Amino acid sequence: MLVLHFFGLASLIGGLMVQLSARGGRVVNLAMMHGVMTQVVTGVAMVGLAEGVSSLDKDVDNAKIGVKLAVALVITVLCWMNRKRPGISGGMFFTLFGLSAANVFVAVLWS
């Protein structure tokens, strides 16, 4: 699950990075959509496994998971709402980029 979660992250950030130098306007591409949805699904699955399987004996920081899930759902909604538009504003693009980076920082730095 963790590897698939990282693949989702790579797809989301990679899709955003490709759009940094896009000519003719930035768009929400499929890599971003699939990446964020993969992250949400695998993240929920990992928490479910950690909570449900007693042999794993893992403590889950519910506040951290709640923040990460909320940010990921905001990214998902923003991507979904803008997926068919011929272009997105710079503000929307950098909001998506900032929220994605913030989610990584929460995952790594929150202990």
Side-chain angles (χ1 to χ4, degrees):
M1 279 296 134
L2 183 61
V3 171
L4 290 175
H5 195 68
F6 286 154
F7 283 161
L9 175 64
S11 180
L12 174 60
I13 299 293
L16 285 162
M17 295 293 283
V18 165
Q19 294 299 310
L20 274 174
S21 61
R23 295 176 193 232
R26 296 178 175 122
V27 297
V28 173
N29 58 33
L30 283 178
M32 294 160 57
M33 284 295 305
H34 289 257
V36 73
M37 288 191 283
T38 299
Q39 284 223 287
V40 169
V41 170
T42 57
V44 169
M46 285 191 300
V47 171
L49 287 172
E51 290 282 342
V53 180
S54 60
S55 64
L56 290 177
D57 195 30
K58 295 220 175 205
D59 287 331
V60 176
D61 186 347
N62 289 322
K64 175 181 176 178
I65 297 304
V67 169
K68 285 187 54 57
L69 179 61
V71 171
L73 289 175
V74 169
I75 296 168
T76 303
V77 168
L78 291 175
C79 283
W80 188 263
M81 289 172 40
N82 292 290
R83 74 190 187 283
K84 292 187 178 181
R85 291 194 177 171
I88 59 174
S89 69
M92 176 58 70
F93 173 76
F94 287 108
T95 298
L96 290 170
F97 204 97
L99 287 171
S100 301
N103 227 5
V104 173
F105 285 119
V106 167
V108 173
L109 300 177
W110 187 322
S111 53

